[in-house]
Amino acid sequence: MPAALHQATDTFGDGPSLGRNRHDPSVSVKVSYTHGYKIFTYTVEGIQGRFVHAVANGRINREWQGPDDMFAALQTEDMGLERRRFNSEKLSGGKDKEIQNTPAKSQVRGQLPSPPNDGPELDVADESGATQKPEADVGDFMTAFSMNYGMPYKFVASGASKPFEDSPWPVQACRSRLNWAQRTFLPDSATGNDEFNEELIFAYMEGQKIEYHDDGEEGLGPRIATLSLGGKAKMYLRMKSKHFVGCSKTGVFTPDRPVPGGVDGKEMDSRRLAAWNELQSLKETDRAAYSRRLKEIPKELGLYGKKGKPGPDLVSVTLNHGDIVLMEGYDIQKYLEHKVVPDAHLRFALTCRVVLENHLKPEERPGYTVGPDTYGYDGGNLL
Ligand SMILES: O=C(O)CCC(=O)C(=O)O
Ligand SMILES: [Fe+2]
């Protein structure tokens, strides 16, 4: 029997797989079912938006041109996957969405070697900075193999985007499935159902992962959807340090409205909120005093000594083959960050976004029009 079948989270049956999702008590979760998917919807107090994990099953994965067919085609058709070059925009932002190779455990604080990607120890390594990769230079190649379709997504790495019309069928089938998923799994939404106009394919080779980051780049719509194919992965969600602790790594009070769930509990939450309220009027009346207070408050509240401390994981989910993740709301990207650690098996992540065309400079716009989704996936075979 293949090793994978021993694991309760694998989607080899037609019912939902056994969930191995975890969440902090401060997070609310709602579970619902539709079209064979089991849907976990997570919300965090004070943060507008939703994090949705839709768990697929065998029947969904066997659909014609569904996840199984897509996973096979991604390995047999020419998807144009290549290691792209870093661009300057990405680097100047200081954020790094690069997929990393997991170092052998023996390289990290002298721990004994063990299989890569087995969970929490990796966080220890992150905090110590031991897994930080060296700064990349413009023109360096990324580790990851990727390809972008539709509108260009300039934040990952440079490289021409290709039109959907010329793309291999899995690209269009996936865009259509994710459009259907947002209509179906995010009903009654204030943010609307704008069709996705961009799709990024990432291939994670064995031992590769994507570190904590957010997807809140400017010029994007409020929704992001990802289809997972192949090997499973763990996805983690936590509050960014500057929001958890309330000050930046250099000790400056975070100017955004504080949300509950910060370091040192509820009492500190309210002290931070009071300080923030005090700052709002000062911001309008006395800029110099405002800047001074931003530096003083973290020391007064005892936050300064905790600067850089990461928040605990709020949600961790196991992404199986065929699963879909949706993130909705700008606040989710502003306050939270996520990382994805695939198991040691080949995995593809196909992520769709809305790239707002008028945020692109004329020279960044594609030389083609991004047409509507004509593939027409409607989940009808799953009913
Ligand atoms: O691998 C995934 O599922 C998500 C990757 C991701 O977070 C990203 O591309 O921004
Ligand atoms: Fe992401």
Side-chain angles (χ1 to χ4, degrees):
M1 188 191 278
L5 292 182
H6 289 293
Q7 306 206 11
T9 45
D10 284 325
T11 49
F12 52 85
D14 289 352
S17 60
L18 187 64
R20 210 180 274 171
N21 294 354
R22 299 282 176 265
H23 64 280
D24 187 86
S26 69
V27 174
S28 306
V29 62
K30 224 184 69 201
V31 179
S32 57
Y33 298 85
T34 187
H35 295 74
Y37 285 92
K38 176 174 184 174
I39 301 144
F40 294 81
T41 301
Y42 298 94
T43 49
V44 184
E45 195 189 345
I47 299 177
Q48 272 185 29
R50 294 178 267 190
F51 177 85
V52 175
H53 172 209
V55 180
N57 64 19
R59 184 161 167 241
I60 292 166
N61 290 339
R62 287 192 306 271
E63 263 192 286
W64 179 74
Q65 296 201 339
D68 290 354
D69 289 349
M70 283 185 208
F71 185 55
L74 282 169
Q75 295 169 82
T76 50
E77 305 221 357
D78 181 6
M79 304 299 297
L81 291 169
E82 55 184 32
R83 289 179 64 194
R84 308 172 106 194
R85 287 180 191 277
F86 279 103
N87 65 21
S88 52
E89 178 115 28
K90 187 73 203 110
L91 294 171
S92 63
K95 287 193 247 164
D96 194 346
K97 202 177 270 187
E98 160 72 314
I99 290 180
Q100 299 174 3
N101 286 311
T102 310
K105 283 291 165 56
S106 51
Q107 287 172 254
V108 179
R109 289 193 183 164
Q111 289 166 354
L112 288 173
S114 60
N117 299 340
D118 58 355
E121 290 102 314
L122 292 172
D123 291 335
V124 175
D126 301 338
E127 282 153 36
S128 71
T131 64
Q132 296 294 304
K133 67 176 188 59
E135 286 277 301
D137 284 320
V138 177
D140 277 2
F141 285 105
M142 300 177 77
T143 313
F145 288 82
S146 65
M147 185 59 215
N148 198 78
Y149 290 91
M151 294 293 278
Y153 181 50
K154 60 184 179 176
F155 301 100
V156 176
S158 59
S161 200
K162 292 185 183 168
F164 283 114
E165 287 75 12
D166 301 348
S167 68
W169 69 262
V171 175
Q172 301 170 56
C174 172
R175 179 196 188 195
S176 201
R177 182 175 287 261
L178 293 178
N179 275 325
W180 169 81
Q182 64 159 328
R183 293 193 304 271
T184 311
F185 305 153
L186 293 173
D188 55 273
S189 168
T191 56
N193 282 308
D194 283 349
E195 228 175 52
F196 294 121
N197 63 6
E198 181 266 348
E199 181 173 332
L200 175 71
I201 304 180
F202 259 139
Y204 293 81
M205 302 302 169
E206 290 191 13
Q208 292 182 339
K209 62 171 182 169
I210 188 162
E211 253 314 323
Y212 274 113
H213 67 281
D214 67 64
D215 289 2
E217 299 95 345
E218 244 187 85
L220 300 179
R223 290 176 166 194
I224 293 145
T226 301
L227 174 66
S228 274
L229 296 176
K232 59 172 170 282
K234 284 205 86 160
M235 182 168 187
Y236 302 82
L237 198 65
R238 72 178 182 191
M239 208 182 282
K240 292 178 192 172
S241 171
K242 65 176 176 180
H243 295 296
F244 176 65
V245 177
C247 67
S248 68
K249 288 196 171 72
T250 55
V252 179
F253 191 68
T254 305
D256 302 308
R257 176 182 53 84
V259 292
V263 73
D264 291 347
K266 282 193 165 40
E267 202 190 310
M268 181 60 83
D269 284 348
S270 38
R271 293 178 69 197
R272 279 172 57 192
L273 192 58
W276 183 80
N277 281 327
E278 166 209 317
L279 282 170
Q280 297 321 292
S281 39
L282 210 55
K283 194 167 152 189
E284 306 304 324
T285 54
D286 188 344
R287 289 299 292 190
Y290 174 72
S291 306
R292 199 184 63 240
R293 292 296 293 143
L294 285 179
K295 295 196 189 102
E296 287 170 357
I297 292 170
K299 291 183 180 146
E300 288 168 12
L301 297 184
L303 301 171
Y304 189 86
K306 300 186 171 139
K307 59 186 194 298
K309 190 176 156 68
D313 287 322
L314 293 177
V315 178
S316 71
V317 300
T318 300
L319 305 180
N320 284 296
H321 174 59
D323 287 6
I324 291 172
V325 166
L326 291 156
M327 291 188 277
E328 179 191 40
Y330 290 120
D331 262 14
I332 295 270
Q333 308 301 338
K334 179 173 168 178
Y335 288 98
L336 307 178
E337 57 187 359
H338 56 275
K339 76 170 173 183
V340 179
V341 185
D343 228 329
H345 296 288
L346 174 67
R347 170 176 182 265
F348 296 97
L350 290 73
T351 301
C352 280
R353 298 175 168 84
V354 175
V355 174
L356 305 171
E357 188 156 8
N358 50 13
H359 276 254
L360 293 177
K361 299 186 194 109
E363 68 272 19
E364 291 168 344
R365 297 194 181 144
Y368 49 85
T369 340
V370 178
D373 168 7
T374 52
Y375 183 89
Y377 181 80
D378 66 1
N381 293 330
L382 298 174
L383 289 173

